[in-house]
Amino acid sequence: MEDSKQEDWNRPQRDYTDNKKIAAGLLAILLGPFGIHKFLLGYTQEGIIWLVISVFTCGIVTSILGLIEGIIYLTKSDQEFYETYQVNKKAWF
C-alpha cells in the first residue's frame, strides 16, 4: 500500500482544462464538410485535405465522415480524447 502512494505523488497529473472534445465533436457533426474540427485541433494539413475532398464530392463524403468522427470524439472519455488527439496528434479517426 505504501508503494502505491509513493508512485501517485511522483506521477504528474494531466491538466484537461484545454480539452477541446465537446467543441471538436460538435463542429464535426454540424459543420463536417468544412473540416473546422480539424483546424480546431491543430491539424492544418488534414483540414485542407478535408476541404479538397469536400469540394470534389460536393460535401457528401465529408458530411458522413464528419458525423462519424464527431460521434467518435464525443464517445471517448476526456482523458482518452486528450491523449489521443491533442497529445499524440492522431489526425484520422
Side-chain angles (χ1 to χ4, degrees):
M1 188 72 166
E2 193 67 35
D3 290 331
S4 66
K5 287 183 182 179
Q6 287 178 347
E7 289 177 19
D8 287 342
W9 74 266
N10 197 20
R11 187 176 307 152
Q13 297 295 319
R14 295 260 185 197
D15 182 22
Y16 301 113
T17 57
D18 190 32
N19 199 341
K20 299 174 183 175
K21 177 180 130 175
I22 301 294
L26 291 177
L27 285 173
I29 291 171
L30 299 175
L31 300 173
F34 303 109
I36 296 173
H37 60 289
K38 296 288 187 188
F39 293 107
L40 175 73
L41 293 172
Y43 306 137
T44 306
Q45 183 177 5
E46 290 82 357
I48 293 170
I49 292 168
W50 195 274
L51 284 172
V52 170
I53 293 170
S54 184
V55 167
F56 284 116
T57 64
C58 297
I60 295 170
V61 171
T62 52
S63 293
I64 295 167
L65 292 176
L67 179 66
I68 293 168
E69 201 162 35
I71 292 169
I72 290 171
Y73 288 170
L74 294 174
T75 56
K76 289 190 178 290
S77 69
D78 289 346
Q79 178 182 1
E80 188 178 12
F81 178 86
Y82 185 81
E83 292 289 330
T84 304
Y85 299 106
Q86 290 183 249
V87 174
N88 296 328
K89 297 290 186 182
K90 179 182 176 191
W92 302 104
F93 293 99

